Amino acid sequence: MPELPEVEITARLLSAALAGATVDSARAPGLATMQTFKPPLDALAGATLERIERRGKMLLVWFAGGGLVTDEDPEGRAALLIHLMSAGRLQLFEKRATMKDRTARIVIRLNGGADGFEEERELRLKEFGTRQSAWGRLLRAADVETDERLSTLGPEAWPDTPSFVAAAGDASPGDGPPLALPPRRTLRGALRDQRVIAGIGRRWADEVLWEAKIAPLRRAGDLDDDERAALSAAIRSRLDEGIAGYVEKLKLPLKDKMPVPERVHGRAGEACPRCGDTILAVHYESDEMAYCPTCQTGGKPYKDRRFSRLLKD
Ligand SMILES: [Zn+2]
């Protein structure tokens, strides 16, 4: 599940390697992957890859020139917006993809780059599993900021982490821009909603709420000033730490499996690294919410349907 820290490091590493590379060809063997057809993906041929950025949990790969040049757009600037969803990865390969690579969704062949590599390489959006949910859209530069996937994003969770306020219009109590979370939503739901705050998903929501010692299913509107400050500080420190850990560990080529820096998410049954109590989880259809009852819920466990079912059987 690539979230802000994983996507941030992917963007940094690929950008450092590929800035200045020239596109030889671009195609999308994943049939459902490309969401736009104007400009077409093959217009990238001859263009220069300028840089790769992160927006929330998405990637923006900027290009200029080549087949993107038109009368209206003489510089031919465009960006490929990519969402990795839950099982996608953007990876760099030195060998050409064989046609049998069923995980390849978008394949961009490139020559050169900032790292001085001389052979042809491939930037590949791959997706593991049989579902095709990762997607890309190629947007003219003028259309990037107004694209609904970007224009509806909330403020970035990092590095300029918002300072949470009780109500919209309140002055910021901290360094970051003021942000009022929707009061009736649960904290875990609000933090994962990209339109509220951008970059956090299920893994890092669990990490952040554990760090702040706040119960994940509390209503956002029920927090007091100290808790709101603790939540803001926890987002900043956990994401800082996550990214710093990746900077040390990750190099190109990026592996299929990203390292797991979690203290609580995915660790149900293990000891809480802070208090030693057993970490519990609530299971949803395609999600698992982990928390420490001693640190976060006053010692009271949440009901878990799967767990209750096991007891009944
Ligand atoms: Zn604990």
Side-chain angles (χ1 to χ4, degrees):
M1 316 286 153
E3 298 176 21
L4 191 151
E6 294 82 20
V7 178
E8 171 73 21
I9 227 69
T10 300
R12 280 191 204 176
L13 288 171
L14 291 175
S15 203
L18 292 175
T22 308
V23 178
D24 181 38
S25 67
R27 61 192 177 88
L31 290 177
T33 306
M34 284 305 291
Q35 293 189 340
T36 52
F37 304 97
K38 258 181 160 184
L41 191 62
D42 57 16
L44 291 179
T48 302
L49 189 157
E50 295 187 317
R51 66 183 187 283
I52 301 176
E53 293 174 357
R54 176 191 63 77
R55 292 288 184 92
K57 296 191 279 185
M58 295 180 279
L59 290 152
L60 263 180
V61 189
W62 286 91
F63 299 93
L68 294 167
V69 172
T70 61
D71 289 345
E72 299 87 61
D73 183 5
E75 284 183 26
R77 294 195 67 244
L80 179 61
L81 177 64
I82 293 175
H83 199 311
L84 303 171
M85 298 304 287
S86 60
R89 298 285 184 274
L90 189 63
Q91 293 174 324
L92 188 60
F93 293 89
E94 294 184 8
K95 283 183 192 149
R96 289 183 167 220
T98 64
M99 295 310 275
K100 278 184 194 149
D101 183 1
R102 289 172 196 276
T103 65
R105 300 286 182 260
I106 296 176
V107 178
I108 301 175
R109 287 195 178 144
L110 297 149
N111 287 294
D115 62 0
F117 191 82
E118 284 179 5
E119 309 284 314
E120 187 167 69
R121 283 183 287 192
E122 275 186 4
L123 184 61
R124 238 181 271 171
L125 170 62
K126 293 174 60 129
E127 190 172 27
F128 300 96
T130 49
R131 275 176 58 201
Q132 291 201 18
S133 55
W135 54 260
R137 15 174 111 171
L138 185 58
L139 302 163
R140 291 268 173 206
D143 302 327
V144 168
E145 297 306 330
T146 52
D147 184 81
E148 45 149 347
R149 301 306 293 250
L150 292 174
S151 65
T152 56
L153 281 184
E156 288 283 343
W158 182 94
D160 199 10
T161 304
S163 298
F164 297 117
V165 292
D170 289 0
S172 170
D175 299 331
L179 176 67
L181 293 171
R184 301 170 70 87
R185 302 277 302 275
T186 66
L187 284 167
R188 192 171 189 264
L191 291 179
R192 290 176 54 194
D193 185 341
Q194 302 304 298
R195 293 162 301 178
V196 173
I197 182 168
I200 298 173
R202 60 184 72 154
R203 293 163 42 143
W204 291 94
D206 284 356
E207 294 298 302
V208 158
L209 288 161
W210 175 84
E211 180 76 26
K213 299 189 188 174
I214 297 174
L217 297 184
R218 278 184 65 189
R219 303 280 158 194
D222 293 345
L223 298 190
D224 63 25
D225 290 351
D226 289 346
E227 289 169 325
R228 279 194 298 274
L231 183 58
S232 187
I235 291 175
R236 176 67 204 237
S237 71
R238 278 307 276 134
L239 295 183
D240 261 350
E241 215 177 299
I243 291 165
Y246 287 151
V247 167
E248 278 176 26
K249 274 187 210 151
L250 297 181
K251 305 240 169 350
L252 292 180
L254 289 168
K255 301 251 163 50
D256 294 349
K257 235 175 139 44
M258 289 262 177
V260 186
E262 287 92 353
R263 302 213 172 117
V264 280
H265 187 81
R267 298 195 182 276
E270 296 180 24
C272 167
R274 186 162 48 208
C275 75
D277 192 3
T278 303
I279 292 167
L280 300 179
V282 178
H283 298 87
Y284 302 102
E285 206 169 310
S286 60
D287 184 15
E288 181 181 310
M289 177 183 82
Y291 65 100
C292 170
T294 296
C295 293
Q296 293 174 265
T297 58
K300 249 187 100 183
Y302 287 125
K303 284 206 179 85
D304 178 31
R305 278 182 302 147
R306 193 170 95 176
F307 188 61
S308 322
R309 245 199 335 267
L310 284 176
L311 288 183
K312 263 188 232 156
D313 287 347

